[in-house]
Amino acid sequence: MTIAAAAPTAPDLVQIYQDLHAHPELSFQETRTASVAAQWLRANGFETTEGVGRTGVVGILRNGDGPTALLRADMDALPVLEDTGLAYASVVRGTDLDGNDVPLMHACGHDVHVTCLLGACRELAADRGSWAGTLMVVFQPAEEVGAGAQAMIDDGLFDRFGRPDVVLGQHVAPLPAGFIGIRPGPSFAAADGIRITLFGRGGHGSRPEATVDPVVMAAATVLRLQTVVSRELAGTDVAVVTVGALRAGTKENIIPDSAELLVSTRSYDEKVRSRMVAAIERIVRAEAAAAGATREPTVELMYGFPAVVNDIAGSAKATELFTGLLGPGRVVDPGLITGSEDVGVLAAASGAPCVFWLLGGGDPAPFAGAGTVEQMAAILNDVPSNHSPHFAPVIEPTLTIGIGALAAAARAWLPAPA
Ligand code: ZN
Ligand code: ZN
């Protein structure tokens, strides 16, 4: 049955979606969202555990012999002032880790992920004849800071609840609603956030001979870091090193004591990633030594997302499945995505193959007449995307397809005995 023939999303789920959208919560503060998920899981017969990895929720539904499929939804929102004009827009504020009062918005659409997984859970619990095995559903905190998946693993996710045979999930995207994007192999980029502090010796700007100038040290480091991608990686490797912040000093005639650089990297291959991070550290230490610094610089990894690498066979299986669901021409390869996602951590730590797709949530109107992926890609540059204050997935058919895709994937990986 194609989605077009399926019933639209039940009103209670639409209500939950709008309620979640109006009540966003920051990373590791998703207590309200977690309790909505936990109540729903209990009502549908799942063994439910809250507080896994601080605010995560795990639901287990056993349905006879068979493999285990992990279905994952992330729950956290962003410090963004919503400007969608939606009737259910967020006006909520929160407190970030640094104690700042910030506006909150589900600007990445994790409310869509939670709602779709709840819908799939109800559908699968009510239709146990259509699958066999174990459903392991994971409502994950803190995706936006790249820490939630690891927090759940560190809290014994796979030791306490078992190891999955596949990790399945989706991310809503500005692709037009009615489309799904999936790419075999490397899909989302690995990303590392690095904080570098260079230490010099401060003093009067008129007496450089009595100082070690961290501003010059930082400037030389920024330039030398440009050679990591251009001179140390192969032409066939894809990587980015960006110095997004350079902070030092207060006044023109004071040489400061230290300088700080914030560096962001992207890559799609673990070997490229580790070589790049090692090169950054080597250059930082060498530039400090070259400047005569008497104190070693510090190089701190603020966060690290591995690349999301989709299983090749699993992606082919999902593509066929979703084409059956949406009709021909509606499952597209979105190309390499430079955004990052920590769902890959769940797959890597459990050893299970990962199948993670993009769920179209964009208003289809601007895409009218775009017949090819290239034409669609050009329009995608002009419509609000994830993390924008204007990002507003359309409720239908996004929810219906998101629920249908998760449920269909679960059935495909947990087939009922013939
Ligand atoms: Zn995001
Ligand atoms: Zn996201």
Side-chain angles (χ1 to χ4, degrees), residues 78 108 110 143-144 171 386-387:
L78 287 160
C108 203
H110 298 184
E143 187 280 329
E144 291 294 349
H171 204 300
N386 304 65
H387 291 208

Side-chain angles (χ1 to χ4, degrees), residues 44-297:
N44 284 282
F46 285 70
E47 295 162 34
T48 304
T49 309
E50 291 177 76
V52 182
R54 293 164 66 178
T55 42
V57 180
V58 178
I60 300 285
L61 190 63
R62 296 177 215 282
N63 189 27
D65 291 338
T68 298
L70 188 161
L71 273 60
R72 177 269 207 176
D74 44 6
M75 302 190 289
D76 53 332
L78 287 160
V80 171
L81 182 62
E82 178 155 1
D83 192 16
T84 58
L86 292 167
Y88 49 93
S90 161
V91 291
V92 171
R93 301 184 69 86
T95 306
D96 71 11
L97 283 178
D98 298 324
N100 303 310
D101 174 63
V102 289
L104 300 182
M105 174 186 175
H106 265 299
C108 203
H110 298 184
D111 46 352
V112 173
H113 310 163
V114 172
T115 308
C116 291
L117 186 49
L118 294 177
C121 285
R122 178 161 72 183
E123 187 178 320
L124 292 161
D127 186 19
R128 288 176 177 238
S130 67
W131 59 281
T134 301
L135 266 182
M136 176 180 188
V137 298
V138 169
F139 291 86
Q140 183 208 298
E143 187 280 329
E144 291 294 349
V145 294
Q150 192 60 48
M152 292 188 83
I153 292 160
D154 293 345
D155 201 9
L157 177 63
F158 300 126
D159 303 326
R160 290 160 66 189
F161 304 100
R163 248 157 233 282
D165 296 291
V166 66
V167 171
L168 302 167
Q170 59 189 354
H171 204 300
V172 69
L175 274 178
F179 285 77
I180 280 178
I182 183 163
R183 182 177 177 84
S187 188
F188 288 69
D192 296 292
I194 303 169
R195 184 195 307 274
I196 294 160
T197 310
L198 296 160
F199 299 101
R201 188 170 63 244
H204 201 287
S206 65
R207 298 190 63 235
E209 75 279 14
T211 71
V212 176
D213 189 344
V215 173
V216 175
M217 209 188 298
T221 304
V222 171
L223 286 181
R224 184 91 196 177
L225 286 176
Q226 308 310 310
T227 65
V228 174
V229 172
S230 71
R231 302 292 82 193
E232 297 200 39
L233 301 180
T236 47
D237 292 331
V238 181
V240 176
V241 174
T242 292
V243 181
L246 192 173
R247 299 186 187 118
T250 52
K251 199 171 181 299
E252 79 288 348
N253 64 354
I254 301 174
I255 293 169
D257 269 326
S258 64
E260 181 184 72
L261 305 180
L262 300 181
V263 179
S264 172
T265 76
R266 302 287 149 144
S267 56
Y268 294 92
D269 178 283
E270 229 9 78
K271 283 197 209 82
V272 170
R273 182 186 180 200
S274 50
R275 181 160 183 189
M276 181 166 57
V277 172
I280 290 169
E281 178 151 5
R282 189 195 73 237
I283 286 169
V284 167
R285 296 198 184 287
E287 286 295 345
T294 51
R295 187 172 156 198
E296 277 283 302

Side-chain angles (χ1 to χ4, degrees), residues 390-414:
H390 305 287
F391 184 59
V394 294
I395 291 182
E396 290 295 8
T398 309
L399 292 184
T400 301
I401 293 173
I403 294 167
L406 284 173
R411 289 187 181 103
W413 266 272
L414 304 176

